[in-house]
Amino acid sequence: MNILIKNAFIVTMDEEREVIEKGYLFIEGETIKSVGAGEYKGEIENTKVINGENYCVMPGLINAHTHAAMTLLRGYGEGLPLMQWLNEKIWPMEAKFKEEHIKTGTELACIEMLRSGTTTFNDMYFMQEQVLEVVKHMNMRAVLGIPIIGEAWESQLKASLDIIEKLDKEKSENLKMMFAPHSPYTLSYDALKSVAQIAKEKNKGVHIHVSETEDESNIIREKYNKTTCELLEETGILKNPVVAAHCVHLTKGDMNILKKSEVSPVYNPQSNMKLASGTASVGEMLDMGINVCIGTDGTSSNNNLNMFEEMETAAFLQKLKYSDATMLSAKNALKMATYNGAKALGFKNLGVIKEGFKGDIIMLDLNRPNMVPIYDIHSNLVFSTNGSEVQYVIVNGNVIMEKGEFLNVDEEKIIYESNKMCKKLIY
């Protein structure tokens, strides 16, 4: 069935036609067929018509770095620095996770993301077969990645290859796979080289944590007498399309390496603030033309998956870092959370409302006190929205949520199962 949204305030993220104050959007199958001002004049047979009056229509948000099933660890291990938090709390608890935990945790993450307007996410977590099935059921779009970490890296690499083979056979437009070496400090030099080589052979991207903390940077410097980015360049990782989470502690030389290698850093401001990891130099990277995008990280270090909150924090923190109120405008923050994310994840026709692009759309209720008045719609979306305004979610031309209600997802059951499961984990 086709979809026509009429009478809507449309934020396209298309530089040629940024905002349409009253217009229409026609989705034919999976693809945006037509978008424009005024009334739609085409045929509407076999078409679902949505009245977009008092709604803002915009591209679905893209969470470029998260660990979805960590919703089950939300609020666990509070108030610790990264290394202590990982070693004493997170990794021991994750060792208890079985397939049912990954399935339920990912389901919980998906409904949280969809409710706040995220239609695509880039995941790095274990047992991705479970994530794969959940994403299919939810009709979301995702990039999957099994963490390759420590001494078991060869078996994890093989598991990644198995899922890649499965997805390649399915030829799904909603699902991709990246190799996900956890980080340079949790893998040997030979492991990094092997991942780099196989990623090149398979023509797949790499999703990796890079320079998240000062401790990590010091570990690499002491071991290799190099910066993290220099090491990644030497091992061949950067010869592949790379999505680099965090990128907090970079030298100017590191930024030049990222620029030259066309790496897409992912800014995770709330996680970086909570773990006191530092503030990424996003302003400088954007000025250099580096494709910076935005992610939430996992809920255990955030503690939510709300990309609207993340955009607001992203902009505020850059203004504070540079003591410059003009730094990271609302429009640029939105671009990072839509078009830049799509580019980083290799989705060529995503992140923009434009003819020929995929029908991944969200609709926000503008008839809320916090959304009035509208002098600058980009400002409202980034600085006034809290995520609850999202009432419609459409992915690949399929309506997932309508008037705040999921159409084919048992939200109540997922929340019940999540609570029950977490009580068993802790007690």
Side-chain angles (χ1 to χ4, degrees):
M1 180 180 287
N2 301 327
I3 299 171
L4 172 64
I5 304 169
K6 62 181 184 177
N7 305 321
F9 196 130
I10 305 174
V11 175
T12 68
M13 300 313 298
D14 179 5
E15 293 180 0
E16 296 176 6
R17 182 175 48 187
E18 292 180 348
V19 174
I20 301 169
E21 293 197 9
K22 189 168 185 178
Y24 64 86
L25 170 64
F26 185 74
I27 302 172
E28 185 176 80
E30 303 172 354
T31 307
I32 297 170
K33 184 74 172 179
S34 179
V35 56
E39 293 185 21
Y40 179 68
K41 303 295 185 182
E43 294 290 329
I44 57 170
E45 187 178 348
N46 193 32
T47 296
K48 179 181 179 65
V49 179
I50 300 172
N51 186 1
E53 190 170 358
N54 292 322
Y55 284 95
C56 173
V57 175
M58 63 173 287
L61 299 173
I62 297 172
N63 188 342
H65 173 68
T66 194
H67 312 283
M70 289 185 85
T71 49
L72 298 187
L73 298 175
R74 193 193 320 264
Y76 182 72
E78 293 287 337
L80 298 173
L82 177 65
M83 295 301 181
Q84 186 180 356
W85 175 75
L86 287 172
N87 285 292
E88 296 180 11
K89 294 291 183 178
I90 299 303
W91 287 341
M93 184 61 81
E94 285 180 329
K96 299 180 181 181
F97 279 11
K98 297 180 172 60
E99 288 184 352
E100 59 264 30
H101 297 98
I102 305 301
K103 177 179 180 291
T104 300
T106 303
E107 287 175 336
L108 184 63
C110 286
I111 61 173
E112 182 180 353
M113 285 190 276
L114 287 166
R115 277 216 166 275
S116 53
T118 293
T119 54
T120 301
F121 67 100
N122 185 26
D123 195 40
M124 181 193 287
Y125 216 60
F126 308 99
M127 304 180 207
Q128 287 286 297
E129 297 88 349
Q130 298 300 313
V131 179
L132 171 64
E133 294 307 316
V134 171
V135 172
K136 283 181 180 179
H137 176 67
M138 295 283 188
N139 283 313
M140 286 187 77
R141 202 181 295 274
V143 178
L144 311 179
I146 296 172
I148 300 169
I149 183 171
E151 294 180 1
W153 67 269
E154 287 176 296
S155 63
Q156 293 156 355
L157 184 55
K158 183 183 182 304
S160 300
L161 287 166
D162 290 343
I163 296 185
I164 283 172
E165 185 178 350
K166 181 178 180 179
L167 286 178
D168 284 349
K169 285 179 181 176
E170 292 184 10
K171 297 181 180 178
S172 169
E173 291 193 1
N174 278 19
L175 290 160
K176 290 176 179 280
M177 184 82 184
M178 282 189 178
F179 290 98
H182 177 269
S183 59
Y185 73 92
T186 57
L187 284 167
S188 67
Y189 187 91
D190 288 343
L192 289 169
K193 284 192 71 173
S194 294
V195 172
Q197 182 179 346
I198 292 175
K200 193 73 176 174
E201 290 172 4
K202 297 295 181 181
N203 194 28
K204 301 294 179 184
V206 173
H207 178 197
I208 185 170
H209 296 90
V210 174
S211 299
E212 182 176 358
T213 67
E214 211 163 5
D215 282 346
E216 175 190 342
S217 297
N218 290 338
I219 289 169
I220 298 301
R221 175 69 72 181
E222 288 172 13
K223 189 171 182 179
Y224 298 104
N225 194 29
K226 298 179 188 300
T227 67
T228 302
C229 291
E230 288 170 346
L231 175 65
L232 292 175
E233 185 177 44
E234 183 176 283
T235 55
I237 290 287
L238 301 189
K239 291 180 180 177
N240 302 284
V242 172
V243 178
H246 302 295
C247 293
V248 175
H249 296 277
L250 301 179
T251 66
K252 185 65 176 178
D254 289 334
M255 292 185 206
N256 287 329
I257 289 171
L258 297 185
K259 168 68 175 173
K260 179 181 68 176
S261 301
E262 299 183 344
V263 172
S264 292
V266 187
Y267 184 27
N268 303 267
Q270 291 194 351
S271 174
N272 295 154
M273 290 168 67
K274 188 179 181 194
L275 294 173
S277 300
T279 306
S281 300
V282 171
E284 291 167 65
M285 287 192 274
L286 290 174
D287 285 345
M288 293 173 67
I290 295 173
N291 184 60
V292 186
C293 34
I294 295 179
T296 59
D297 209 352
T299 56
S300 51
S301 64
N302 188 294
N303 286 20
N304 61 47
L305 300 170
N306 189 326
M307 284 286 287
F308 282 105
E309 275 192 17
E310 208 70 31
M311 285 189 285
E312 180 182 41
T313 306
F316 283 169
L317 194 54
Q318 290 301 301
K319 295 174 191 300
L320 182 63
K321 175 180 174 65
Y322 292 101
S323 300
D324 182 354
T326 68
M327 190 62 69
L328 192 50
S329 68
K331 189 184 295 185
N332 281 339
L334 278 168
K335 184 181 179 186
M336 289 164 63
T338 52
Y339 176 79
N340 287 14
K343 182 179 179 182
L345 301 184
F347 292 110
K348 294 181 180 178
N349 295 324
L350 203 65
V352 176
I353 295 178
K354 186 175 183 178
E355 291 84 353
F357 277 59
K358 290 297 180 183
D360 287 19
I361 305 295
I362 59 175
M363 296 174 62
L364 292 83
D365 184 1
L366 295 177
N367 201 25
R368 300 282 183 95
N370 57 308
M371 301 299 281
V372 177
I374 300 174
Y375 297 125
D376 179 338
I377 187 62
H378 299 100
S379 174
N380 281 52
L381 291 172
V382 172
F383 300 128
S384 302
T385 304
N386 58 46
S388 68
E389 302 83 0
V390 177
Q391 295 295 296
Y392 286 81
V393 177
I394 301 169
V395 181
N396 221 33
N398 297 306
V399 179
I400 310 299
M401 190 170 79
E402 182 172 11
K403 295 182 180 178
E405 298 292 330
F406 286 109
L407 299 187
N408 297 300
V409 175
D410 192 341
E411 181 177 15
E412 186 177 341
K413 181 182 178 183
I414 292 168
I415 292 172
Y416 173 79
E417 292 294 338
S418 299
N419 274 319
K420 185 171 73 171
M421 191 169 279
C422 290
K423 285 177 183 176
K424 289 182 180 179
L425 274 173
I426 299 296
Y427 301 111

